[in-house]
Each structure stands twice: as structure tokens, then as C-alpha cells.
Amino acid sequence: MKIKTVLLISLMMNLVAYGQISTDKIESSVNKDKDKYISIFKDLHQNPELGFEETETAKFVADELRSFGYKVTENIGKTGIAAVLKNGAGPTVMYRADMDALPVQETTGVDWASTKQVQLENGTTTYVSHMCGHDAHITWMLQTAQYLAENKEDWKGTVVFIGQPAEELIEGARAMVDDGLYDKHKIPQPDYLFGMHTAPGAVGMVVAGDGPRLAGTDQFDVTFYGVGGHGSAPEKAIDPVVMAANAVMQYQTIVNRKIDPQHAAVLTVGSIKAGESNNVIPDKAVLKINLRWFDEEDRKILKENIQRINESIAYANNLPKDKYPTVVEKGWSYPLENNANLTDVIRKSINSIDEIDFILTEKMIGPTMGSEDFHHLVIDSPKKDTPYSYINIGIIDPDRFAKSIEETGEPPYYNHNGDYEVDLRALPLGSEIAIHSMLGIFEAYKK
């Protein structure tokens, strides 16, 4: 499916490529090693690891980057890595790829599908798979790193590649910074930060908008405490399952009755865990909650009302204060807002790639309620105002995408679904986009 014929004329007129690097040179370099990187992708895909457990993935990435000539530091924020290559006077540009997978069973049916299972801390077993494309992110980063190392005549400055753990937990970026990424480990602070993520669009589609792109998020666990007992005698117990169920229903009124209707916010209870037996009333129930928001005041309203509901339910069940629900804060991030100038540089840099059919800007596709911690690599650093840009790359077979849109109005699958499949054609194209983007940044901000 060729979509370039419908690309807006006004957009094309504004996209003038940066620099003099030959598109043919980059395409030739990427295609030369295409089979190698497809093999790397498949291997990563079949060997996924959850957040902060990416030991084998990180070791592989570190070894590859070292083989290209980078100075590599490992075990930052537990399993994170940073690779540095200096090449004369120029800007310091950081490129980040996340490495963790998800506790999801893969159902794609591809020959390289993941069948891996792991045991969690609570003793349960789960399937693990790359159903968000982080294996593609690593592949793109490695091929970009190889190109920059082998073609130093094309750029000047310092490049930093980050293999980040635990993005799905919304904890990895902050963990790396808190572990001394810039001070203890002496990784150069970037002048610019760039990253890419797979998206459920056709191969050839790129989303590169500026301004607000992704929502802020909070993840936390709420535990309701009760008094356990026999299922046949509920009057002698205080049932935390009923309390938790009551809370879930009351939570749903917060967004539609407390948040300005013109503001975007989401409250999701992703898990309820209580008890093991049919005829035993347990003594606690745990809710795993996720918030999405763009406005800091809305975030405050969400959290305050959750706490108020929790305490009111405990009070209504005549529980003592020491049995009131507890909250364990987990990962969180601020909304992601792309720098306008940097994002424009990237759009111009990738415009010459023939395989790109559509470049969507913020005027064509607005911000989404998805979240990221990518930007916390810089907003939590001493250089808090470092410009950053984060773009999305379509990874679905174009014919399959077009057929699904025609029949249902939706893509055939979304991120975090067991069917999430990265079409192999997205791998070399993503590498080309990453290389062009990095070279464009070095050229636009050369010193």
C-alpha cells in the first residue's frame, strides 16, 4: 500500500533534508547487514526478559556496542547500559532504546515467537514476550551505533547510546539517573535526546509531532485489609474482596465527576488479587492501579479521591485505623512533550527516505494516553531543559493494516496484545530512520 500519494503538499514543502549525507549510502549500509540484524531481532524476540531482569539482553547489547568501538558502562540502575563514542567537537546526542518485555503470552504464530515462561516473586508463573516492540528498538539502536562508528566522517560530536531497563514499569530511566548515570558513572550529559518506539501503523508510517505527545502516569498498589473467615459465615468476617470491588466501582466516578470534561484522564484497575480458595474469605485484597493525566492538578484530584474512597470504605466496614488501606507507590512519569525545533529537524532529516509513505505531525494525530519514562533521562538530570524528541514507527504489514482499517476501522492489533507482530520490513526501515535522524541532529546543531 503506497500512502505517499496522499501526503499533504504543505508538509512536503516544509520538509527539506538536512546535511549532505547520501540517502543511498545509508540505505546501502543498512541493507548490507540486514540479515544480521533480522537474526538479532529474532533472537531477542525469542529470549525476552522482564523489567530489571534484562541481564542477558543487556550483556548482549553491551558486547555488540563494545565490538563497534564504544566505551560501555554496564549495570547502571541495575541492568541499564550506556555506550559513548567521541568524534571531535560537536553536540552530545543521546539515543535511548528500552530493553524489557511484558508478562503476556504471545499468539502471533510467527516462527520466532516467544514461548518463554518465568516465575514471579509471588510464586506464580507467567509467559513473557516482546509485545511492545522493544526488541525492534534494540535492533534499530545497534544498527545505528554500528553506522556511526563506521562512518565518522558523516558527523562530529559525542554520541551516547542508552540501553534502558524497566520502561514498562515506568522506573528504568529514573533508576539509571538515580544510580549516578551522569555523576558516578561519568556519562556525558546530552545536549539533545532522541528515541523511537514501534506503533500499530503500517510500515512506512512515522508519527513525528511536537508538543504534548504522551500522558503522565502513576502506578501503585492499594491493599484492603479485612478479617478472614469461613465462606459459610461471612457475618464473622470483614470481607476485603467486597471492599475492593466497591472501590473499583467508586473509582470510576472520579474521572467523570471530578475531572474537567475537557481534560483527558484515565483510571484503570489492571489487577485484583485476593485469596486462593472458594470457601475462605481472605484477610486482604490488592488492587493494581494505573493513572494517566496531562494536568498536574488532575493528577492530584485522582490521587486524593482514591484515598478518600479507600478510607470511606474502611470506615463503613468499622475497621480500626491500623487496618485502613495502604498504598505502595511504584513507577510514574510526567507527560512527554517533544521539543518543536528538534522534532522539525528530525522530520526534515527523514523526508528523503523513499520507503516512508506518511509523516504524521501533531496537527494530524494528537497526543495519546500512553506514557513513557524516556524523557526522565534528561528532566531528572542537572540539565533539566535538554530538548528531546520521541517518534513512532509503523510496524504492521501494509496490506494487513489496510484490510483491517477497511473492515473494522482499527489496526489488526495494538501494543501489549499477544498478536503484536513487528513486520520484518520495519527493521531496516527503522534503522534508516534512526540513522538519518541522528545525523540530522548532529548536522543541525554542529558547533
Side-chain angles (χ1 to χ4, degrees):
M1 178 181 66
K2 290 298 285 183
I3 313 173
K4 187 169 264 185
T5 54
V6 298
L7 185 63
L8 298 182
I9 299 297
S10 61
L11 177 62
M12 292 183 65
M13 291 179 66
N14 286 328
L15 295 175
V16 180
Y18 273 108
Q20 304 298 316
I21 307 303
S22 166
T23 299
D24 291 340
K25 176 184 177 181
I26 295 172
E27 183 178 2
S28 176
S29 176
V30 168
N31 286 334
K32 172 175 64 71
D33 293 316
K34 181 172 68 173
D35 291 343
K36 167 189 171 181
Y37 283 100
I38 287 177
S39 178
I40 285 174
F41 166 79
K42 290 180 177 180
D43 186 64
L44 290 167
H45 190 85
Q46 291 180 307
N47 295 281
E49 296 174 297
L50 295 174
F52 290 128
E53 298 176 8
E54 312 94 336
T55 54
E56 293 302 316
T57 303
K59 182 179 184 304
F60 170 77
V61 173
D63 288 346
E64 285 292 302
L65 290 168
R66 256 189 216 101
S67 74
F68 304 149
Y70 288 81
K71 180 182 178 182
V72 179
T73 305
E74 299 180 68
N75 305 315
I76 308 173
K78 193 171 183 180
T79 49
I81 66 168
V84 179
L85 184 64
K86 297 182 178 181
N87 185 33
T92 297
V93 183
M94 179 178 283
Y95 182 115
R96 175 274 213 171
D98 38 12
M99 303 186 296
D100 56 326
L102 288 158
V104 174
Q105 182 175 4
E106 180 167 356
T107 53
T108 63
V110 297
D111 293 341
W112 53 92
S114 170
T115 58
K116 185 174 181 179
Q117 298 183 59
V118 300
Q119 189 173 55
L120 302 177
E121 288 184 0
N122 62 11
T124 62
T125 299
T126 181
Y127 282 93
V128 181
S129 59
H130 274 294
M131 294 295 100
C132 204
H134 295 190
D135 45 357
H137 304 171
I138 299 167
T139 305
W140 293 335
M141 180 180 74
L142 290 176
Q143 191 156 27
T144 302
Q146 180 179 347
Y147 182 93
L148 294 185
E150 293 178 349
N151 297 274
K152 291 182 180 179
E153 68 278 6
D154 292 349
W155 62 282
K156 292 296 179 185
T158 298
V159 65
V160 181
F161 287 100
I162 297 290
Q164 184 203 301
E167 183 278 331
E168 297 294 355
L169 305 178
I170 313 293
E171 295 181 14
R174 189 178 294 103
M176 293 187 73
V177 175
D178 288 347
D179 189 35
L181 177 67
Y182 301 114
D183 44 25
K184 182 175 75 175
H185 297 288
K186 307 300 181 184
I187 303 303
Q189 292 189 51
D191 298 309
Y192 306 94
L193 172 64
F194 174 65
M196 309 198 317
H197 198 294
T198 64
V203 175
M205 289 183 175
V206 177
V207 181
D210 55 64
R213 304 308 304 158
L214 296 171
T217 186
D218 290 274
Q219 300 191 76
F220 50 89
D221 295 347
V222 172
T223 301
F224 282 87
Y225 301 95
V227 176
H230 199 289
S232 67
E235 78 281 4
K236 300 185 185 303
I238 301 177
D239 195 337
V241 175
V242 174
M243 287 189 278
N246 191 350
V248 171
M249 297 308 296
Q250 289 195 51
Y251 292 161
Q252 304 313 307
T253 67
I254 299 174
V255 172
N256 62 30
R257 286 297 178 268
K258 299 294 184 181
I259 302 295
D260 185 331
Q262 298 185 67
H263 292 191
V266 175
L267 189 163
T268 295
V269 178
S271 171
I272 303 176
K273 174 63 177 174
E276 300 293 343
S277 176
N278 292 60
N279 70 339
V280 175
I281 295 172
D283 62 357
K284 65 181 178 180
V286 180
L287 304 181
K288 295 183 179 294
I289 299 174
N290 178 262
L291 308 180
R292 309 284 169 145
W293 45 272
F294 284 97
D295 185 277
E296 188 76 22
E297 183 61 28
D298 292 340
R299 179 195 195 190
K300 180 180 177 183
I301 291 171
L302 288 163
K303 297 181 80 170
E304 286 181 348
N305 278 272
I306 287 171
Q307 184 68 15
R308 188 174 296 117
I309 288 169
N310 294 347
E311 292 181 357
S312 69
I313 290 173
Y315 178 82
N317 282 272
N318 199 30
L319 286 167
K321 283 291 182 76
D322 63 354
K323 280 186 173 287
Y324 272 34
T326 58
V327 176
V328 176
E329 300 277 353
K330 296 160 75 174
W332 67 274
S333 72
Y334 285 120
L336 186 151
E337 298 188 22
N338 278 346
N339 178 269
N341 290 335
L342 180 59
T343 305
D344 188 54
V345 166
I346 291 163
R347 286 194 294 255
K348 291 174 180 177
S349 301
I350 66 177
N351 185 53
S352 60
I353 302 174
D354 288 338
E355 293 87 349
I356 292 180
D357 296 321
F358 233 142
I359 300 176
L360 300 169
T361 70
E362 70 284 351
K363 296 177 182 177
M364 302 176 196
I365 181 168
T368 73
M369 300 308 294
S371 299
E372 254 289 350
D373 67 348
F374 150 88
H375 49 311
H376 281 268
L377 286 169
V378 292
I379 67 174
D380 287 341
S381 76
K383 295 173 67 172
K384 298 179 185 297
D385 59 349
T386 299
Y388 61 81
S389 186
Y390 187 76
I391 68 174
N392 296 98
I393 312 298
I395 50 82
I396 300 177
D397 170 79
D399 291 333
R400 184 178 178 186
F401 179 82
K403 184 173 186 292
S404 182
I405 292 296
E406 182 179 353
E407 292 178 351
T408 70
E410 300 283 346
Y413 46 78
Y414 286 96
N415 306 58
H416 293 208
N417 182 281
D419 287 338
Y420 195 77
E421 179 183 343
V422 175
D423 188 277
L424 297 181
R425 287 169 289 183
L427 299 175
L429 177 56
S431 295
E432 285 188 55
I433 292 169
I435 293 167
H436 275 276
S437 298
M438 291 294 284
L439 293 177
I441 296 169
F442 278 111
E443 175 65 21
Y445 300 106
K446 62 185 178 182
K447 297 179 179 179

